[in-house]
Amino acid sequence: MAIEWSAETREFHLRNDQVSYVIRVLENGSLGHVYFGAALAQGKSYGHLVPGEFFGFSNRLGQPVPLEFPSGGIGDYRIPALAVELPDGSGVVDLRYRSHRILPGKAGLPGLPSTYVDLGSEAETLEVTVADHVAQIEVRLLYTIYRDRPLVVRGARIANSGTAAVVLRSAMSASLDLPDSDWEFLTLSGEWARECHVERLALRPGRQSVSSTRGASGHQHNPFVALTRPATTEEYGEAYGFSLVYSGNFLLEAEVEPFGTTRMRAGVNPDGFSWLLEPGAEFVTPEAVLAFSRAGLGELSDAFHRLFRERLAGGAWRDRDRPIVINNWEATYFDFDEPKLLAIASTAHDLGIELFVLDDGWFGRRDNDTTSLGDWQVNLSKLPGGLDSLARKVEDLGMRFGIWIEPEMISRQSQLFAQHPEWAIGIPTRPRTEGRNQYVLDMSRPEVVNYLFQVVSGILGSAPISYVKWDMNRNITEPHSPTLPAWRQGEFMHRYSLGVYSLYDRLTKAFPGVLFESCAGGGGRFDPGMLAFAPQAWASDDTDAIERLKIQWGTSLPYPLSAISAHVSAVPNHQVGRVTPLATRAAVAFFGVLGYELDPTTLSAQERAEIADQVAFYKQWRELFQRGRFLRLRSPFEGDRDETAWMTVARDARSAVVGHYRILSRPNPGPQRLRLRGLDPAASYRVSIWPSAGQVAGGPARPIVLGGDELMAAGLVLESNRASAERGDFRARLYVLEAT
Ligand code: DGJ
């Protein structure tokens, strides 16, 4: 890994064994983008890749000169990275190279989550300062390249070096120009209970984007986009991935212009955004991660998984086994008392489950969702001994204890609202819109963040609490803060996110042993910004195994299994009414951080025995399920959409677990094989099936030991449900591979 600077060619070459990123100071001093993709040889100039000789935009209006941080008003009419309103009302900014520094390692960002290094030698950072002496704007562009990751992490720090205030209208984290447009725009889109469905459409002339204006990244679009060649598969072909380390209003946008080039930009959504930059002040953008793969989406995902798990997630839980939880939400909803909870916990403990999570309803007078958010005092009629007594009883069983909170929210019916109505976001002259009967607290106010820190710290200090599920069940409406003057209201949404980060930062530092799980009505804020504080997230309120195949498949494009919280729930499923076998529910939830969300006291002895077997199986393979290399094999979004397959394989390829899911049973199915990936072709693997009761009945004898070469080239012969004793819909089989 190295960052080269050639004073002669005025080129920067950020390079490791997998990727190169080349930047050139153009003849007129603008910072031109030359190349990002597979690694190129060192010590050479690539300046000839910049189209034509560059004299400036005035005589080449609209031509696709690639720029690192484009701005408007100087002839580049494509989507800008930077848009500024200057004191004279104009918006022309023309950034030219001023200086640069090459630094070991990677620095953090003030107020924002970011990727990091454990050792300074893991990465190098290039900081290029570009400036416009007329506009008196100075931008420090940051690029980090790690030694062994096929990606570049980018960001920008935009400063006002003048004597009058300016207004930022758009301040992107990164812009990337690609020389052609033969790409498909892959997004993870959906809604509540059906998050992260894969959408993939060819780029066309003009702009296409995903974004949020909700105050959270949202269920609707994840802050992730991949550009893939039309022929790119999981295994083959080029793909670029763009991810934003941010949890608020975001924009990921592509523009194809008439010369057929593509520009991508990623950053805080300019829609509704403005930022007053006083003289000497600086705006720091969130980080964007730009990754590249020549070997399909599988390799692209692996780059994101490793970065997010190893160098974004922080704290004591980063590398630790995540506990198997039992959560009482779908078991009881708001209707519980201490004996009921202890019965659930005690039965769960007998099955091997490790942590009991007390979900919504333990505080104030919260017997339904109309009341008490903000009143974080325990409801003594439900829990007479308080959280401490319950937590200690759970610990006495031999389990850990965790709680649900939704700190950013306030119910109209609450003592907090009676005391501080002004803390609820709204515009004084308008009624506030309710969502789930609640309002959102103004997290842009430091006194609100301070108050919540005191309250949540008090709760976490009051009992042995090892885990927190931090929920956020509605988005922001009537965005406005009375603490900001009229001309700064465009800052509100970003300041809200900064307030959330500040609270997370303080709490995770004050309680380093607590495992935080983020949640926003399921996957409504499943993004890298949250992962920096909470290394796992509740992927969806939809716990149906068949729906989860799609949700977890899509979520796994950027996010590692260690981040994807997945629970086995009761049937008929509460979201879709579907009845699936218990083994299938587990076989899906295994591929993530496993939990249960049902009342085990109501199950039959046989079902409880099955769960005990599942828990034991998961514990045996937890390392693989939480930290293995995840490979997607058959997509629920492609073909007849009746099948899904994926696998997780150890980094040393000595073991793997393959999941194969058949949604609807087929009459007279043909023989089927599933080609595996990521194995050692020279190794022999002992193959066993889980659950073992489903061993092939009446089929041809299956060899027990198979070669990695055969499993990857010829494939694993799948059990046909013609031969299976257990024919039916919604079937799952796991194949466990152990190198002999
Ligand atoms: C939404 C979450 O996603 C659920 O799991 C549950 O915690 C409820 N909120 C509780 O209100």
Side-chain angles (χ1 to χ4, degrees):
M1 164 207 65
I3 298 178
E4 288 176 359
W5 160 249
S6 162
E8 191 190 335
T9 61
R10 305 225 293 172
E11 278 173 50
F12 300 100
H13 187 168
L14 294 77
R15 185 188 188 283
N16 60 27
D17 288 343
Q18 296 161 79
V19 290
S20 281
Y21 194 109
V22 185
I23 303 166
R24 180 182 171 91
V25 181
L26 303 177
E27 282 72 4
N28 72 346
S30 296
L31 201 63
H33 178 72
V34 180
Y35 174 82
F36 175 44
L40 303 175
Q42 286 169 288
K44 290 170 71 173
S45 168
Y46 296 98
H48 53 276
L49 293 173
V50 178
E53 202 177 32
F54 182 66
F55 295 107
F57 289 112
S58 55
N59 58 350
R60 286 173 179 264
L61 287 178
Q63 285 219 12
V65 176
L67 290 175
E68 278 301 314
F69 208 65
S71 52
I74 49 172
D76 184 344
Y77 297 103
R78 292 168 294 166
I79 45 180
L82 181 67
V84 185
E85 192 180 309
L86 299 170
D88 64 0
S90 72
V92 178
V93 177
D94 191 356
L95 298 168
R96 306 291 171 111
Y97 170 83
R98 185 165 279 176
S99 63
H100 73 268
R101 297 193 295 168
I102 296 171
L103 305 161
K106 180 175 188 299
L109 297 176
L112 285 164
S114 59
T115 55
Y116 58 87
V117 291
D118 272 0
L119 296 172
S121 56
E122 284 174 22
E124 271 185 355
T125 298
L126 168 66
E127 181 188 288
V128 188
T129 301
V130 289
D132 178 341
H133 71 274
V134 179
Q136 300 199 295
I137 300 289
E138 192 173 275
V139 182
R140 281 190 282 161
L141 297 172
L142 302 167
Y143 303 80
T144 296
I145 185 156
Y146 285 85
R147 192 191 306 125
D148 60 351
R149 302 176 193 277
L151 51 86
V152 170
V153 181
R154 289 189 54 181
R157 302 178 73 140
I158 302 158
N160 178 353
S161 49
T163 51
V166 301
V167 180
L168 299 181
R169 297 274 173 212
S170 170
M172 289 288 123
S173 305
S175 170
L176 181 74
D177 284 0
L178 296 169
D180 71 81
S181 56
D182 189 20
W183 297 103
E184 291 180 339
F185 193 69
L186 185 157
T187 66
L188 305 174
S189 300
E191 241 304 339
W192 173 80
R194 49 184 168 82
E195 299 89 340
C196 283
H197 284 213
V198 176
E199 303 285 341
R200 192 170 162 175
L201 283 171
L203 282 184
R204 52 182 171 69
R207 299 179 179 194
Q208 38 253 277
S209 64
V210 285
S211 63
S212 166
T213 52
R214 300 171 167 269
S217 44
H219 296 92
Q220 291 69 22
H221 301 290
N222 201 272
F224 170 81
V225 163
L227 294 182
T228 61
R229 294 296 185 193
T232 295
T233 64
E234 286 291 330
E235 225 173 324
Y236 304 108
E238 289 181 320
Y240 287 95
F242 304 85
S243 170
L244 196 67
V245 185
Y246 192 53
S247 312
N249 292 354
F250 74 90
L251 173 70
L252 286 161
E253 185 166 39
E255 182 175 4
V256 174
E257 51 71 66
F259 293 92
T261 69
T262 303
R263 173 172 290 171
M264 268 298 301
R265 64 173 178 168
V268 172
N269 194 347
D271 199 354
F273 167 86
S274 64
W275 196 274
L276 187 84
L277 215 49
E278 301 279 8
E282 181 187 54
F283 179 81
V284 182
T285 73
E287 249 173 36
V289 181
L290 283 58
F292 173 74
S293 160
R294 263 203 299 202
L297 287 164
E299 192 173 283
L300 191 77
S301 289
D302 196 45
F304 282 106
H305 294 176
R306 287 179 48 239
L307 181 75
F308 290 166
R309 191 166 59 71
E310 298 165 359
R311 293 296 180 266
L312 177 65
W317 283 97
R318 184 184 79 179
D319 302 324
R320 279 167 63 182
D321 283 353
R322 308 290 170 68
I324 302 170
V325 307
I326 179 121
N327 178 305
N328 74 308
W329 178 240
E330 287 198 16
T332 66
Y333 295 104
F334 296 102
D335 181 18
F336 58 80
D337 55 19
E338 190 181 276
K340 197 168 179 177
L341 298 178
L342 285 172
I344 292 173
S346 153
T347 314
H349 175 255
D350 292 345
L351 306 180
I353 295 173
E354 298 159 321
L355 191 146
F356 174 81
V357 183
L358 173 56
D359 210 282
D360 194 355
W362 56 265
F363 51 90
R365 290 180 291 113
R366 191 148 165 101
D367 294 325
N368 53 50
D369 66 15
T370 62
T371 173
S372 298
L373 293 169
D375 297 346
W376 299 106
Q377 298 84 32
V378 70
N379 179 332
L380 293 174
S381 51
K382 286 183 181 175
L383 305 174
L387 287 178
D388 188 45
S389 152
L390 176 63
R392 286 186 194 285
K393 287 174 188 159
V394 168
E395 290 227 320
D396 287 347
L397 292 170
M399 296 176 98
R400 297 294 208 51
F401 178 77
I403 54 158
W404 175 99
I405 50 170
E406 197 179 5
E408 297 155 72
M409 297 295 152
I410 181 166
S411 301
R412 188 157 45 83
Q413 282 186 52
S414 66
Q415 290 168 23
L416 186 64
F417 189 75
Q419 285 157 15
H420 284 293
E422 78 286 5
W423 283 4
I425 293 171
I427 299 170
T429 52
R430 294 185 168 277
R432 292 184 180 92
T433 303
E434 286 194 1
R436 207 198 189 204
N437 307 300
Q438 66 199 51
Y439 304 134
V440 187
L441 285 171
D442 182 351
M443 300 293 287
S444 75
R445 296 169 82 127
E447 70 271 31
V448 171
V449 174
N450 288 340
Y451 170 81
L452 290 172
F453 177 69
Q454 296 305 331
V455 169
V456 181
S457 298
I459 297 166
L460 297 185
S462 73
I465 294 170
S466 310
Y467 161 107
V468 168
K469 175 179 172 188
W470 179 325
D471 206 346
M472 189 229 190
N473 277 298
R474 60 155 292 182
N475 293 140
I476 295 172
T477 52
E478 294 87 33
H480 180 271
S481 178
T483 60
L484 294 168
W487 57 93
R488 296 195 87 140
Q489 290 295 331
E491 300 175 17
F492 174 71
M493 289 295 216
H494 184 60
R495 288 188 182 278
Y496 179 90
S497 296
L498 296 178
V500 173
Y501 290 145
S502 155
L503 184 58
Y504 251 117
D505 188 47
R506 290 167 68 181
L507 286 169
T508 49
K509 284 188 175 132
F511 298 91
V514 172
L515 170 60
F516 283 79
E517 174 165 319
S518 79
C519 171
R525 201 164 58 180
F526 198 135
D527 58 58
M530 284 291 117
L531 287 185
F533 303 103
Q536 58 188 62
W538 181 225
S540 178
D541 273 355
D542 197 333
T543 55
D544 173 66
I546 302 306
E547 293 300 311
R548 275 287 185 138
L549 289 173
K550 289 187 188 152
I551 294 165
Q552 291 176 211
W553 177 284
T555 305
S556 81
L557 261 295
Y559 305 112
L561 293 189
S562 60
I564 301 174
S565 176
H567 294 176
V568 173
S569 62
V571 290
N573 175 266
H574 293 196
Q575 291 76 40
V576 294
R578 188 174 286 133
V579 176
T580 53
L582 185 52
T584 301
R585 284 173 265 156
V588 176
F590 283 162
F591 286 84
V593 180
L594 175 69
Y596 287 79
E597 188 154 334
L598 42 69
D599 183 349
T601 66
T602 63
L603 300 178
S604 68
Q606 195 202 324
E607 287 170 316
R608 287 209 289 267
E610 258 192 77
I611 292 183
D613 173 59
Q614 294 168 1
V615 168
F617 179 80
Y618 185 83
K619 285 179 181 168
Q620 185 184 354
W621 299 107
R622 176 160 25 201
E623 166 76 24
L624 272 185
F625 286 128
Q626 297 187 353
R627 293 184 288 277
R629 179 172 170 214
F630 185 63
L631 296 162
R632 293 172 300 265
L633 303 174
R634 285 198 185 150
S635 170
F637 298 102
E638 290 170 11
D640 61 10
R641 299 174 175 229
D642 194 36
E643 198 186 3
T644 301
W646 53 39
M647 65 188 286
T648 172
V649 55
R651 295 274 156 196
D652 64 3
R654 300 294 295 165
S655 55
V657 181
V658 180
H660 180 258
Y661 311 86
R662 165 66 64 193
I663 297 170
L664 294 182
S665 180
R666 309 186 138 187
N668 193 18
Q672 266 210 74
R673 284 193 232 159
L674 180 66
R675 290 197 319 133
L676 308 185
R677 304 211 311 273
L679 302 175
D680 176 356
S684 294
Y685 292 91
R686 183 179 307 282
V687 182
S688 55
I689 296 178
W690 186 94
S692 51
Q695 291 278 11
V696 178
R702 175 191 296 279
I704 302 233
V705 177
L706 296 167
D709 54 350
E710 175 193 330
L711 288 165
M712 290 195 289
L716 172 74
V717 178
L718 293 175
E719 242 185 302
S720 106
N721 66 350
R722 177 164 48 180
S724 168
E726 260 198 83
R727 203 173 298 166
D729 296 338
F730 316 129
R731 297 290 144 166
R733 283 281 174 278
L734 301 187
Y735 300 86
V736 179
L737 278 56
E738 293 166 89
T740 56

